C-alpha cells in the first residue's frame, strides 16, 4: 500500500519527509517521490526502485522548503517507472498531488479533461486528479474548494495530499477509504497515511474520516466534509509504539493481512463487478476476450497457495462457463513437455509475479504458442510484464510469508473471470445477477467470520499439542482443504494433509484414531449429505472433528466436537469465506506453539529459485 507524508512548518521539510518515507517503507512500495514548494516554484523528484535511489537522485541540492509532500508508491495503474511515480502535476506544474487508492472513473474523467485541452503524460489514475483540480481551480481560485469540488466528481478510494505554488502556505488533504492522520505540532503540522511517519515529531494526532477534507498550515488545521460542512475534530494522543503502528495494532503481519480481507476482497471486485448487469468488466482481458471465448480449454499453472486458488478456479470455470480447465503445478508443467495447441489459453497465477517456476511455465507455454495471461498482485512484476494480458488482484502488499489475502483475492478475480465468460457462454442475466450479488456480499461475510476469532483461538489452544491434522472437503472446498492444510504446516510445523473427503476411505482412513483431528469443510450444498457420511466414518473411528459449517446448520453439532460457523455463500465462491477460519486456526495454532508466524522456518516470501 502506498505511503503518504506531508510537512508544513518552519523547518526544512525535505529531511523530515525522507525520514517519514523511510518509516513507511514497511508497507511495501516500488517507487518513491517528493514535491517541495519553494520560492522558485514546484520542485519534484521521483524515482522507480528503493528510497535510496530517490535520495541519490536528489543529491545535494542546496535549496530549502518549509512545505513538502512525499510518497512511496505501490503500483496499481501503470508500471512502477520514474514517470508513473508520485507526485503528479497539472499542466502548468503548479499543483502537485500524491494519492493512495484507486480512482475508478479515471478513464471517463481523463477523456473529458483531454477534450478540454489538458495534456496528460502518464497512464496513472492519479495524474488525472491533478488536472481535474487544475480545472476546478480555474473556477474557484481557491485550492481547498478546487480539491473538494474535484473529489465530488470522483468515484473510488483515495487518501490524497495536494500542494500548489499559488497557495504556498497550505497542504490540502482528503480521505475516502485510504487512511490519513494529521500530526499536530508546535508551529508545524504533518500528515501521513499512518502514524509511524509522525511519531518522531508528535504524538498528538487527528484521524480523518471518509468524506473529510483538511487544510493544514504551519500554525493550525481545519476540517470540512466534502460537501462543505464544518467539522470539529478531536486531537488524540498516540500511546502505542512504532512496531504496533506498523502492524496496525496486530501482533503479526499475517494476522493484520487476515483482517484486511474484507477490504482487499472488495478492492479486487471494486469497479469490475457489475451487479445490475450480472456480469464483470475486466479491462485487462478486453484485448484477448475473443481468444478466451474461442479457446477449447484453459490451462492454469501456479505454485503453492496460488495453485490452490487455480484449482478453485477450475471448479467454477468448468461448472459455470462450461470451459474445460486443466490445472498444473508450474514446476511440473515446465518439464513435462506439455501438449499445447495454438488456440490454448493459459492463466498464470502469482502473488509476487516473480516465482521462478511460474515464470518458466509462462515461457514454456508461450514458446509452444499459447496465449499467456496473468493473475498477479505485484504490478510491473516480471510475470505481469511478460504475459500478453491479465488482471491484477489489487490485494495490496502482502508482507506475511504465509499467503492469506492474496489467496482470497485470487479467487475473487477468478470469480469475476468466470462470471464474464459464463455470461458470454449462455448464463442468463438473471443468474448472473444472483452470482454477482452473492460475490458482492462476500466482504461482509468475511467480516462476520473474523468476529469469531476468539472461538477459533480457543480451538487452537485445545489442539496445540497434536502432531497431525487432516483437512477434508469436497467439490470446490477440496481446494479449501488443501489450503487449510498448507497454512497449518507452513507456520505451525504440524503435519497436515488435505484430501477430497471421499478419497479418505482409499487410504488416509488408516490414520484415524482418537489422536487425529479432522477438519471438515461442510457447507450446506448439493453434496452436504455425502460429506456428512464421510464425517460418520471418522466418528466411527473416534477421530476428533472440527467442522466449518453454515450458520443455519442444525445437524452438525451432533457430529462434530467443535463447530466453526460461517455464513452461507454460493457454492463456487465458498473457498473465499471458508478459508478464513482455516487461516485463523493455523495462525492461532502457530501462536500457541510459540512459532514465529512472520518468519516461518525455511520459507521465503518469494521463491525466485527453482
Ligand atoms: C504459501 C505461499 C506459497 C506461495 C507460492 C507461490 O502460503 O505463500 O505457497 O503461494 O510460493 O507464490 P506466488 O503466488 O508469489 O507465485
Amino acid at each position: 500500500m502506498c505511503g503518504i507524508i506531508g510537512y508544513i512548518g518552519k523547518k526544512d521539510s525535505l529531511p523530515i519527509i525522507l525520514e517519514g518515507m523511510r518509516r513507511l517503507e514497511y508497507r511495501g512500495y516500488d517507487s518513491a517521490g517528493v514535491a517541495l514548494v519553494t520560492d522558485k516554484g514546484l520542485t519534484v523528484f521521483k524515482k522507480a526502485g528503493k528510497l535510496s535511489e530517490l535520495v541519490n537522485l536528489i543529491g545535494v541540492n542546496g535549496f530549502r522548503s518549509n512545505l513538502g509532500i512525499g510518497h512511496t508508491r505501490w503500483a496499481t495503474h501503470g508500471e512502477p517507472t520514474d514517470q508513473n511515480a508520485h507526485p503528479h502535476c497539472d499542466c502548468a506544474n503548479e499543483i502537485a498531488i500524491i494519492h493512495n487508492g484507486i480512482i475508478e472513473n479515471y478513464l471517463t474523467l481523463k477523456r473529458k479533461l483531454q477534450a478540454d485541452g489538458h495534456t496528460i503524460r502518464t497512464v496513472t489514475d492519479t495524474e488525472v486528479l491533478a488536472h481535474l483540480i487544475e480545472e476546478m481551480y480555474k473556477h474557484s481560485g481557491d485550492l481547498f474548494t478546487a480539491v473538494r469540488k474535484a473529489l465530488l466528481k470522483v468515484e473510488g478510494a483515495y487518501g490524497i495530499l495536494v500542494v500548489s505554488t499559488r497557495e504556498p502556505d497550505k497542504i490540502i488533504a482528503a480521505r475516502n477509504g485510504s487512511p490519513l492522520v494529521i500530526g499536530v505540532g508546535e508551529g508545524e503540522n504533518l500528515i501521513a497515511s499512518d502514524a509511524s511517519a509522525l511519531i518522531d515529531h508528535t504524538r498528538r494526532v487527528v484521524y480523518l474520516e471518509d468524506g473529510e477534507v483538511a487544510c493544514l498550515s504551519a500554525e493550525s488545521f481545519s476540517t470540512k466534509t466534502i460537501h462543505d460542512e464544518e467539522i470539529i475534530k478531536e486531537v488524540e494522543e498516540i500511546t502505542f509504539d512504532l512496531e504496533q503502528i506498523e502492524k496496525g495494532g496486530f501482533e503479526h503481519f499475517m494476522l493484520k493481512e487476515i483482517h484486511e480481507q474484507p477490504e482487499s476482497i472488495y478492492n479486487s471486485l471494486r469497479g469490475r463487478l457489475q451487479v445490475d448487469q450480472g456480469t464483470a468488466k475486466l479491462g485487462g482481458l478486453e484485448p484477448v476476450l475473443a481468444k478466451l471465448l474461442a479457446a477449447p480449454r484453459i490451462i492454469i499453472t501456479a505454485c503453492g497457495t496460488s495453485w490452490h486458488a487455480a484449482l478453485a478456479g477450475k471448479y467454477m470455470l468448468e461448472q459455470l462457463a462450461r470451459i474445460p480447465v486443466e490445472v498444473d503445478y508450474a514446476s511440473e508443467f515446465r518439464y513435462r513437455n506439455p501438449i499445447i495447441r495454438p488456440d490454448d489459453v493459459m492463466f498464470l497465477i502469482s502473488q509476487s509475479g516473480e516465482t521462478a517456476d511460474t515464470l518458466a511455465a509462462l515461457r514454456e507455454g508461450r514458446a509452444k504458442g499459447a496465449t499467456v495471461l496473468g493473475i498477479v498482485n505485484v504490478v510491473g512484476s516480471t510475470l505481469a510484464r511478460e504475459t500478453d494480458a491479465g488482471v491484477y488482484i489489487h490485494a495490496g502488499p502482502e508482507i506475511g510469508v504465509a499467503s492469506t489475502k492474496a489467496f482470497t483475492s485470487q479467487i475473487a478475480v477468478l470469480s469475476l473471470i468466470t462470471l464474464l465468460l459464463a455470461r458470454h457462454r449462455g448464463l442468463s442475466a438473471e443468474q448472473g445477477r444472483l452470482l454477482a450479488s452473492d460475490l458482492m456480499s462476500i466482504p461482509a461475510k468475511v467480516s462476520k467470520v473474523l468476529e469469531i476469532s476468539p472461538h477459533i483461538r480457543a480451538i487452537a489452544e485445545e489442539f496445540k499439542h497434536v502432531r497431525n491434522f487432516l483437512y477434508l472437503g469436497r467439490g470446490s472446498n477440496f481446494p479449501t482443504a488443501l489450503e487449510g492444510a498448507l497454512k497449518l504446516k507452513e507456520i505451525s510445523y504440524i503435519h497436515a494433509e488435505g484430501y477430497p473427503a471421499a478419497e479418505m476411505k482409499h487410504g488416509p482412513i488408516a490414520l484415524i484414531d482418537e489422536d487425529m483431528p479432522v477438519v471438515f469443510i461442510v457447507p450446506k450444498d448439493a453434496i452436504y449429505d455425502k460429506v456428512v457420511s464421510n464425517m460418520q466414518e471418522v466418528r466411527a473411528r473416534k477421530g476428533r472433528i472440527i467442522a466449518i459449517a453454515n450458520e443455519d446448520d442444525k445437524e452438525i453439532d451432533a457430529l462434530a466436537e467443535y463447530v466453526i460457523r460461517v455464513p452461507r455463500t454460493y457454492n463456487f465462491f465458498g473457498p473465499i469465506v471458508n478459508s478464513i477460519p482455516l487461516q485463523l486456526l493455523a495462525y492461532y495454532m502457530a501462536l500457541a506453539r510459540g512459532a514465529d508466524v512472520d518468519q516461518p522456518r525455511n520459507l521465503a516470501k518469494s521463491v525466485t529459485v527453482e
Side-chain angles (χ1 to χ4, degrees):
M1 245 115 29
C2 307
I4 282 180
I5 169 86
Y7 174 87
I8 183 160
K10 295 186 183 64
K11 296 183 190 138
D12 189 7
S13 62
L14 183 60
I16 295 172
I17 286 164
L18 289 174
E19 181 53 26
M21 289 163 78
R22 205 187 57 70
R23 290 269 196 233
L24 296 169
E25 276 187 301
Y26 79 92
R27 295 164 69 99
Y29 70 107
D30 44 46
S31 57
V34 294
L36 307 168
V37 180
T38 69
D39 45 13
K40 294 187 185 62
L42 205 54
T43 305
V44 175
F45 296 102
K46 35 197 222 172
K47 191 80 190 135
K50 291 287 152 204
L51 195 53
S52 54
E53 298 187 40
L54 177 72
V55 173
N56 287 341
L57 174 76
I58 297 171
V60 186
N61 56 60
F63 58 77
R64 242 186 95 91
S65 160
N66 304 126
L67 167 58
I69 53 177
H71 188 260
T72 48
R73 175 176 187 246
W74 164 264
T76 56
H77 291 75
E79 292 192 1
T81 59
D82 292 354
Q83 209 193 19
N84 289 340
H86 300 203
H88 288 284
C89 297
D90 62 335
C91 295
N93 273 328
E94 289 176 347
I95 295 171
I97 177 171
I98 55 180
H99 166 218
N100 185 3
I102 298 172
I103 307 297
E104 287 161 20
N105 60 336
Y106 82 105
L107 278 177
T108 319
L109 295 169
K110 184 173 182 173
R111 281 186 215 114
K112 169 94 178 59
L113 287 160
Q114 283 169 326
D116 290 343
H118 289 260
T119 307
I120 299 181
R121 312 159 194 107
T122 70
V123 294
T124 63
D125 50 344
T126 305
E127 193 194 340
V128 172
L129 207 43
H131 293 270
L132 188 60
I133 295 168
E134 179 181 33
E135 194 60 29
M136 296 297 146
Y137 196 86
K138 284 183 197 159
H139 306 292
S140 67
D142 167 57
L143 191 60
F144 187 89
T145 310
V147 171
R148 212 177 45 70
K149 293 238 161 120
L151 292 177
L152 288 172
K153 296 187 180 297
V154 160
E155 287 161 26
Y158 52 78
I160 56 165
L161 301 189
V162 184
V163 293
S164 168
T165 53
R166 301 262 195 116
E167 299 182 32
D169 56 351
K170 61 185 65 152
I171 299 175
I172 310 298
R175 168 189 166 145
N176 187 40
S178 294
L180 282 177
V181 51
I182 299 173
V184 184
E186 299 286 331
E188 62 182 13
N189 282 308
L190 297 99
I191 182 158
S193 43
D194 72 59
S196 60
L198 306 176
I199 55 169
D200 282 345
H201 305 275
T202 179
R203 285 187 165 265
R204 301 181 65 228
V205 296
V206 172
Y207 293 95
L208 286 189
E209 300 298 332
D210 285 351
E212 292 180 354
V213 190
C215 177
L216 278 72
S217 68
E219 299 300 336
S220 64
F221 71 90
S222 60
T223 43
K224 279 190 172 180
T225 68
I226 192 171
H227 300 291
D228 208 24
E229 296 133 352
E230 298 280 349
I231 24 174
I232 308 294
K233 304 284 294 181
E234 242 178 73
V235 179
E236 298 175 40
E237 195 80 25
I238 299 180
T239 50
F240 28 84
D241 64 22
L242 192 63
E243 205 195 328
Q244 283 171 310
I245 297 171
E246 287 183 352
K247 291 182 181 155
F250 293 100
E251 205 171 327
H252 294 96
F253 281 111
M254 180 180 174
L255 189 61
K256 174 175 178 264
E257 286 159 8
I258 291 174
H259 280 264
E260 275 170 7
Q261 288 174 109
E263 195 187 333
S264 53
I265 296 165
Y266 182 62
N267 282 340
S268 306
L269 305 176
R270 177 202 288 278
R272 295 165 162 178
L273 186 61
Q274 303 187 319
V275 179
D276 292 346
Q277 289 99 307
T279 186
K281 189 171 162 52
L282 292 163
L285 291 186
E286 267 160 27
V288 291
L289 188 57
K291 245 186 176 154
L292 202 44
L293 289 168
R297 65 169 177 172
I298 290 174
I299 300 163
I300 317 183
T301 63
C303 301
T305 288
S306 299
W307 188 88
H308 297 154
L311 196 58
K314 174 184 167 80
Y315 278 90
M316 58 176 91
L317 277 161
E318 289 195 336
Q319 287 301 311
L320 296 169
R322 307 304 298 162
I323 303 176
V325 177
E326 284 179 24
V327 175
D328 214 339
Y329 288 108
S331 54
E332 290 297 312
F333 182 87
R334 63 184 292 191
Y335 286 121
R336 69 174 171 79
N337 193 12
I339 300 163
I340 303 280
R341 293 180 289 259
D343 43 5
D344 279 337
V345 170
M346 262 180 92
F347 273 105
L348 298 113
I349 307 182
S350 175
Q351 185 286 127
S352 61
E354 303 296 348
T355 300
D357 285 325
T358 313
L359 289 173
L362 180 167
R363 290 164 192 156
E364 177 72 13
R366 153 151 306 138
K368 287 190 144 69
T371 301
V372 285
L373 309 175
I375 298 176
V376 181
N377 194 28
V378 179
V379 175
S381 55
T382 310
L383 201 133
R385 282 185 275 114
E386 289 195 18
T387 38
D388 297 320
V391 188
Y392 284 119
I393 63 169
H394 292 320
E398 194 178 62
I399 295 167
V401 171
S403 185
T404 52
K405 63 175 182 169
F407 175 68
T408 47
S409 279
Q410 286 164 345
I411 303 179
V413 163
L414 284 159
S415 309
L416 292 171
I417 296 172
T418 301
L419 191 56
L420 173 70
L421 299 187
R423 282 303 312 281
H424 279 279
R425 293 172 66 97
L427 187 86
S428 71
E430 198 189 329
Q431 284 171 307
R433 275 192 287 275
L434 285 175
L435 295 185
S437 54
D438 192 80
L439 254 182
M440 208 35 135
S441 71
I442 284 183
K445 290 178 180 167
V446 169
S447 296
K448 271 194 99 179
V449 180
L450 292 171
E451 282 168 18
I452 56 164
S453 295
H455 173 52
I456 298 172
R457 186 171 193 164
I459 297 174
E461 280 294 330
E462 175 72 25
F463 285 93
K464 68 181 175 200
H465 297 303
V466 161
R467 296 173 62 89
N468 298 289
F469 252 89
L470 210 53
Y471 285 71
L472 301 177
R474 295 183 79 154
S476 54
N477 281 304
F478 163 46
T480 317
L482 291 175
E483 177 58 9
L486 176 63
K487 285 290 91 88
L488 189 72
K489 51 190 149 195
E490 68 181 330
I491 57 165
S492 72
Y493 318 137
I494 296 172
H495 171 241
E497 299 281 350
Y499 260 91
E503 269 294 301
M504 180 185 62
K505 56 185 168 297
H506 299 285
I509 199 164
L511 296 169
I512 292 173
D513 60 15
E514 63 278 8
D515 293 326
M516 175 63 94
V518 185
V519 178
F520 273 94
I521 300 111
V522 56
K524 276 260 181 191
D525 57 16
I527 43 174
Y528 174 81
D529 291 339
K530 305 277 172 205
V531 184
V532 164
S533 306
N534 300 137
M535 290 173 78
Q536 307 274 21
E537 288 157 9
V538 169
R539 253 178 82 95
R541 285 155 187 86
K542 298 194 168 49
R544 302 181 70 185
I545 295 178
I546 302 168
I548 312 294
N550 289 142
E551 289 163 334
D552 56 348
D553 184 347
K554 305 268 185 289
E555 298 160 56
I556 212 74
D557 300 82
L559 280 167
E561 189 178 341
Y562 292 93
V563 181
I564 299 172
R565 303 219 173 248
V566 292
R568 263 196 204 225
T569 312
Y570 178 67
N571 213 358
F572 298 109
F573 310 148
I576 308 181
V577 176
N578 302 339
S579 63
I580 308 294
L582 304 185
Q583 296 170 349
L584 287 165
L585 185 65
Y587 173 80
Y588 286 121
M589 289 285 265
L591 207 65
R593 291 161 65 87
D596 184 348
V597 177
D598 279 336
Q599 294 295 324
R601 69 184 181 208
N602 307 337
L603 290 174
K605 181 62 188 157
S606 188
V607 186
T608 54
V609 290
E610 236 192 282

